[in-house]
Amino acid sequence: MGKGRLEAFSDGVLAIIITIMVLEMKVPHGDSLSALRPLLPVFLSYVLSFVYLGIYWNNHHHMLHVTQHVSGKVLWANLHLLFWLALVPFVTAWMGENHFSAAPTALYGVVLLMAAIAYWILQRTIIATEGPHSLLATAVGRDIKGKISPLLYAVAIPSAFFEQWIAGGLYVLVALLWLIPDRRIERKLGERKP
Amino acid sequence: MGKGRLEAFSDGVLAIIITIMVLEMKVPHGDSLSALRPLLPVFLSYVLSFVYLGIYWNNHHHMLHVTQHVSGKVLWANLHLLFWLALVPFVTAWMGENHFSAAPTALYGVVLLMAAIAYWILQRTIIATEGPHSLLATAVGRDIKGKISPLLYAVAIPSAFFEQWIAGGLYVLVALLWLIPDRRIERKLGERKP
Amino acid sequence: MGKGRLEAFSDGVLAIIITIMVLEMKVPHGDSLSALRPLLPVFLSYVLSFVYLGIYWNNHHHMLHVTQHVSGKVLWANLHLLFWLALVPFVTAWMGENHFSAAPTALYGVVLLMAAIAYWILQRTIIATEGPHSLLATAVGRDIKGKISPLLYAVAIPSAFFEQWIAGGLYVLVALLWLIPDRRIERKLGERKP
Amino acid sequence: MGKGRLEAFSDGVLAIIITIMVLEMKVPHGDSLSALRPLLPVFLSYVLSFVYLGIYWNNHHHMLHVTQHVSGKVLWANLHLLFWLALVPFVTAWMGENHFSAAPTALYGVVLLMAAIAYWILQRTIIATEGPHSLLATAVGRDIKGKISPLLYAVAIPSAFFEQWIAGGLYVLVALLWLIPDRRIERKLGERKP
């Protein structure tokens, strides 16, 4: 079963999610530069989510690049990931419009955590299909970043109710952690090149 | 005539439909967790529709995978299916916002029923082009799930006016029925593999 | 220069346009079936526009299928067509919300007329690149439907100010005229098959 | 690493951006032609942005056509460009709704400037991967248009606060400058043809 349509569908959904977030930025009523100021937290949360969705697209791209077989289970694990990513614009807008207040900031972390878990399930599902000696399995290896991220989200979520900026800082930290493209797979591909 | 553009266009429309539903979830005004409570029925109806659209994408994917020829009639039968699926976000929002009350819940079933009929017409149109001994025709076989689903919708629609949870339960039941990926086609493909 | 990306981009834009129209259908406030009644003209105008956009996608699909070379001019002629088609949801909503009153119904025709002219320009641009003996040139032939449609729109636009149903009827008539898939190209392809 | 998904994702985002702008055109309340008059500046700014996004899609298309390798850095440089282009509908609506007043018109220029810089970074990143003797490097050459455009934006932005029509005129001028498809790459490709 070809992976082409899985990639095309995921690209479509991710492209829409990323662009839908812009729609959440309501055009201000005044026409002065100061009318833009209330939009600043919305804009910052939009930038953060844009980077997160960019990371997901990037890693998804790398992961499927080394995938050979796509089973029915993989299709559903992928839809499950897209479901949580599709909630990102909602929590981004809620967090931005409420200036990173407690509950919205915590919920933002919950959606990120669920997306991270969904990505891990997708990865496991593909490796289960491809086998433990597949390109993806060896490339992922011990998957340290993939294990640290959920832990950091789990710390960030309750901390949002005490000191919201710890949560915000942790979200930025995880994003920076992943912003570096997944060299593991690129390296593995390099090694295998004849 | 290539099926590539038909798949790409369908993927695009389905990706947009699935993501548009998120837009229907209006960001709440308060910033407390309790502000999310009124959104719960909207969220639940969104999850149900997400699963339904995932099922349609999945089965559409399988069906076109074993399709060889795409005629003008198939293009229109496919557009007809997409028309009914494009109405899913509308009825999902109406049903969710009105807490699964009678008329919206019934209309939700009507759209699901029309989509099921449209899918059946598309399947018939492709089989008519491919011939009765084609891979698709043999894979579909007696198509028991495809025949039971419209019956269950037909029961659910009037029951929404008496006991709305019977209708809701039947919609969930049909979704579960289909959540299992269409092994028939996968099996057929396996058999035909050299 | 490959035509793959031109097709992919056009499919994307058309898929979005078709689905955006659904967003124009605002979820009604009441939860009774009678709350749906005011939506009927919006729904009818949506069905008409869906059929029109389906026709454009279909014919675009056929036209590019027999196109071999895509020049810079073709890219812009295609964008010009997409520009007018992107205005269809706007005029559809305006016409539907005002129950097919004079000015909106006339403007709907203007957008259809401009789209028809843009399609004709795109066709001419491709034929100019491909040559007068190309598959497309011979398939298009005298292009009777392509010449009648703008004439009918030109009659419909002013008539909307006198008797709106003449205009509406003419829009439906042109749609029915085109609903029949473009057999000319399919036939030509059939002839050329070895 | 294949460039197919990069092109598909970019096409998706650009298609959505171009079409989202239409959504900003709110359907007027009246049903007379005069009800459309307040929409005229919005429509004009929409046409300008449509042309700009068309130019970006066109040039992006040409640039990736002569690109062979896509690295992780290129993926991020591309996302960076898409980020600024995704802000175009927002500034287009703000500028149009405020009849090209000072601050919105200046901000429109800022987003165009950032997009131009992002495009230049993407071009540099690809050339750094492909090498100084690559098809793209020789095709781009001295890149006079790419150097003049940011200068003109830099003049337009402050001038919006003194005489808004100078800024507007400069935006139109740059668009006209680029509307001519990038013949450099087409010419280079022609030369290299056997």
Side-chain angles (χ1 to χ4, degrees), chain C residues 11 13 46 55 61 65 67 79 127 148 150 152 155-156 186 188 191-192:
Chain C
D11 281 354
V13 171
Y46 168 46
I55 289 165
H61 180 104
H65 189 69
T67 300
L79 275 169
I127 290 175
I148 289 177
L152 292 179
V155 172
E186 286 192 34
K188 277 286 159 192
E191 282 171 17
R192 294 220 171 180

Side-chain angles (χ1 to χ4, degrees), chain C residues 41 59 65 77 121 127 131 182:
Chain C
N59 289 345
H65 189 69
I121 293 173
I127 290 175
D182 212 321

Side-chain angles (χ1 to χ4, degrees), chain D residues 120 141-152 178:
Chain D
W120 178 84
R142 287 162 55 206
D143 193 19
I144 294 169
K145 278 202 272 185
K147 279 169 189 154
I148 288 177
S149 308
L151 286 180
L152 292 177
W178 283 101

